[in-house]
Amino acid sequence: MHRWSQLFIPTLREAPADAEVASHKLLLRAGYIRQLGAGIYSHLFLGTRAINKIVAIVREEMDTIGQEMHLPALNPMEVWAESGRWASMGDTMFRLKDRKGAELCLAMTHEEIMTSIARSELRSYKQLPQIWYQIQTKFRDEPRPKSGLLRVRQFLMKDAYSFDIDEAGLDASYAKHEAVYRRIFTRCGLEFLVVEADSGAMGGTGSQEFMVSTDAGEDLIASSSSGYAANVEKATSKLAPVADLAPTGDGLPELVHTPNQKTIDEVGAFLGVERVYQMKTMAYMVEHADSDEKQIKTVGKTRAVVVFLRGDHQLNETKLAAIAGGELRPMQAEEIVATFNAPAGFLGPIGLTAAPHPKKPGTLVILDKALEGRTNLIAGANKEEYHLRNVTPMRDFKPTLVADVRSVNEGELDPIGGQPLRIAKAVEIGHIFKLGYKYSKSMGASVLNRDGKEMTPIMGSYGIGIERILTAAIEQSAAKFAAQSANDPKASDAYALPPSIAPFQVVVTITNVREPALLAAGEEIALALDQAGIDVLLDDRDERAGVKFKDAELIGVPFRIAVGKKLAEGKVELLDRLANRTTDIPVGEAVQQMQTALSLN
RNA sequence: CGGGGCGUAGCGCAGUCUGGUAGCGCACCUGGUUCGGGACCAGGGGGUCGGAGGUUCAAAUCCUCUCGCCCCGACCA
């Protein structure tokens, strides 16, 4: 049994000025963590206990489908060079040299290491499927660590990798992870959402993220009441049909003089035409990763990418980057002139030469799906001071491809049930991803199939941010407490963790340790709880009751038993902080009442 | 990397503009009173003012350089 009087729980009355988000302030104030450097934190006693509980849940669930390993965090450069990530990871990877000058890195994930084990050990389809996982510290030199434990440079991750003989096997391994992830996050007491995610420029056939909705989050997710949920990087929507403008003149593109009218709004106002009837031109350059040799060989290291969007729509750069196959940057003035033969402000589709196919050289011209079938649009004329009327895609110009590259907006209808989309901030706590052959192929893993033929195993990778479970739980709870008492300025101080991940399940607060009866009763109750297998923290400090109550709340323990005045009547007070309910219970029933309360959570 | 802000006692801050013995609240230590919602009285300890260089009789304060941290934009668990 733990006695507060002997523990190191450095609670703070005020949060350090650097702390911004609720979980960061609370973790510091409650004595869970202390900062060592930007994005580098020590977990103190309470933090470690909470993390250990989360890890135990993750491990217990993962053990139902996979096997735990422990891999090196310190990796020789060669293994990362093989997959191409030594080059592609750039500054995000911590790199170092040993005394001999050999290059090493601190691992950010473990695809390479797992694949190298698979390659040297797996020989036969009979050994598949395999699911290997580990719970380990990862290192990432984040460009901008922030928000306490939410975005850090060193963190705990549960990462798992599956190896299957074929796609059906991968689908099964993926489905197992999805089910296990749902159990893990449910047991951790989180309200989460599973969303469709961007699988990145790397390819891959499927990817879902597990998200917890909170304003502290950095991701945006779109969801609706029909069950649709997607990262906005991936989300699509149904649009209300638009009645096109009537053609003017002979119905063919017609030049209009538009001096000094460059933006969509200026041109719209000048011509008296709303934004939905206009076509917006956006010009980028893609830069292909050095590792993508094939692409560079056929289309060059950089390539012009031109996108046409409806005037009132926003480009989604993630979607575009996935299609373009590299990193994007806006075109510079000379590049614009080289591509369009016209200055910015009057760019349009006509006269532009599109690559006939994405894999062929030339300008990659993309027409956003929302413009498919539209007619008589207003667009730039590729001529200074002129725009065109009556521009009709496919008739007047042919893009390289038609694709969804726009961002959805709040209120648009979801693509499956047609319900309005809500857009909210969220934290990503887990990600499951059908990797495909990227690593097994580049690193040369293979097994013999039933016919004695060499096959490349297909892989999946699956991650969980351990500390993020803690922070998400705190954010979620703090938001709820704040909403419940919106006019109470101290409300942001309050939160409570789910019993499954709280450092203790219950605090027994002896309101005054100088009264022998209270002290004895508190000791007795705490001992009984401890013997019943309940994680109890006995607050036996010689402090005033107010201090002890505040501290008990600050550390986020979900139940509190106060031993005080009512002991004279043989009663103690049980506070359920998650339900915000206080009940007086007979001393002798403390264990049983706690067991009941815990079983309900 | 670009933009903004901040480094003064463990935490929160004042002092910097206008150079002149380094301060306040909380926390900490001692004694006393108090004891169910962050008590009170009295006494006390603790600071290379982020670092280096410069200007000056004199620098937390002015100048130069540098390091660190936080926040806003491009990445991810």
Side-chain angles (χ1 to χ4, degrees), chain A residues 4-40:
Chain A
W4 200 318
S5 63
Q6 284 155 40
L7 297 176
F8 177 59
I9 304 177
T11 59
L12 299 172
R13 191 181 295 218
E14 290 173 283
D18 319 3
E20 195 79 3
V21 301
S23 62
H24 188 194
K25 288 185 196 162
L26 290 166
L27 285 166
L28 285 168
R29 289 191 50 211
Y32 275 57
I33 60 169
R34 284 295 183 264
Q35 180 169 15
L36 185 62
I40 308 175

Side-chain angles (χ1 to χ4, degrees), chain A residues 353-375:
Chain A
T353 317
H357 186 274
K359 297 221 188 308
K360 295 273 167 68
T363 302
L364 182 64
V365 177
I366 296 168
L367 179 74
D368 183 63
K369 224 169 155 36
L371 287 176
E372 205 174 21
R374 294 286 307 278
T375 63

Side-chain angles (χ1 to χ4, degrees), chain A residues 102-117:
Chain A
E103 295 195 89
L104 302 158
C105 68
L106 298 176
M108 326 177 29
T109 61
H110 281 79
E111 280 84 356
E112 282 81 357
I113 315 307
M114 287 288 193
T115 309
S116 84
I117 294 169

Side-chain angles (χ1 to χ4, degrees), chain A residues 336-405:
Chain A
I336 288 178
V337 172
T339 308
F340 293 89
N341 198 22
F346 304 96
L347 304 181
I350 295 179
L352 193 66
T353 317
H357 186 274
K359 297 221 188 308
K360 295 273 167 68
T363 302
L364 182 64
V365 177
I366 296 168
L367 179 74
D368 183 63
K369 224 169 155 36
L371 287 176
E372 205 174 21
R374 294 286 307 278
T375 63
N376 304 324
L377 298 159
I378 311 293
N382 288 331
K383 181 174 177 188
E384 192 153 11
E385 305 211 326
Y386 284 91
H387 280 74
L388 289 170
R389 292 185 198 276
N390 300 334
V391 174
T392 299
M394 308 320 283
R395 180 192 71 184
D396 300 328
F397 70 97
K398 231 177 145 325
T400 309
L401 44 89
V402 177
D404 173 25
V405 289

Side-chain angles (χ1 to χ4, degrees), chain A residues 58 83 87 98 121 149 155 205 232 238 272 278 292 355 360 381 401-402 432 509 524 529 537 566 592:
Chain A
V58 171
S83 69
D98 69 12
E121 309 297 335
L149 290 187
F155 60 98
T205 46
V232 292
K238 268 190 217 161
Q278 301 189 61
D292 200 349
K360 295 273 167 68
L401 44 89
V402 177
I432 55 178
T509 303
E524 195 182 318
L529 289 165
L537 171 58
K566 291 166 189 160
Q592 180 218 319

